[in-house]
Amino acid sequence: MVMVAGSQRTTAWTRYDPELGVQPGAPVRTGLVVIATDHTSERDLRRILPPAMDIVVSRVPCRTVTTVETLGEMATDLTRAADLLLPGSVLNAIAFACTTGAIVIGETEVARRIRLARPGIAVTTPIEAAMAACRALGIKRLSLVLPYVLAVNRRVVSRLEAEGLDVVSVVSFEQESDLDMARVTPAAIIDAGIAADRPSADGVFVSCTALRAAEAAEQLETRIGKAVITSNQALAWHLLRLTGIATSVAGYGALLRNH
């Protein structure tokens, strides 16, 4: 097991997977497809994941305004973005780093379009990762912190409820611009998480890869005494499991520290 705490990182990680053709001594390599306006997710994943997990990044065009319509438009560029992730190289997994984009397009459709360029690849999205995190943590009742406008917020709630999760409260920053979402401070996210928490909730989910929520997760957990899941934190956790890396990461909440 390797412990990663803040900037203290190990360089000892390698993995061999005969099925993927990765050679002994080669790093685990994951692809990350982010939206053009995202300032946060790539930075968060590079901070959280062990350095021997090589991250290669591609971007999809998007409009700054976040609506159900603009989120759906990104589907057309997913295959091309996946194809640009070091063509000809072996990847262990690909993540599409947009929570609501994956919900609007559909997680199955996201994976299908990515696999047109990378057949058979393991694919994840923040919403899939968050729901898997809820299962791992035993969370059935959620309080939500969302940054979106009402129509997009409703899509998030509906997707979680379709998975069998009970959404007991929602607090939203009601922002339409990705850039404004990225400007929300960790302190404001902590305050929103405290406001969203309810006695009946098992935990809090802070949705959106643009929000600086991963760096707020640990302190918010301490304040409310419950598990906190964030889009980028859950995505990093899910990538570790999809690529077979068993490691503990300190500083980003119980999900990465204990699971």
Side-chain angles (χ1 to χ4, degrees), residues 129-130 132-134 136-137 218 221 227-230 232-238 241 247-249 252-259:
C134 285
L137 294 167
E218 185 99 343
E221 282 190 346
V228 173
I229 298 169
T230 82
N232 291 335
Q233 166 230 49
L235 194 61
W237 171 83
H238 208 212
R241 271 126 198 89
T247 185
S248 176
V249 183
Y252 297 96
L255 177 66
L256 281 159
R257 187 173 58 251
N258 301 326
H259 296 270

Side-chain angles (χ1 to χ4, degrees), residues 43 182-192 212-213 215-217 219-220:
R43 180 201 63 190
R183 294 186 182 105
V184 177
T185 65
I189 293 167
I190 291 168
D191 288 343
R212 295 168 57 193
E215 59 192 280
Q219 187 175 345
L220 179 54

Side-chain angles (χ1 to χ4, degrees), residues 48-63:
I48 294 170
L49 293 171
M53 179 181 276
D54 189 20
I55 304 171
V56 293
V57 181
S58 181
R59 291 186 177 250
V60 291
C62 67
R63 290 193 262 173

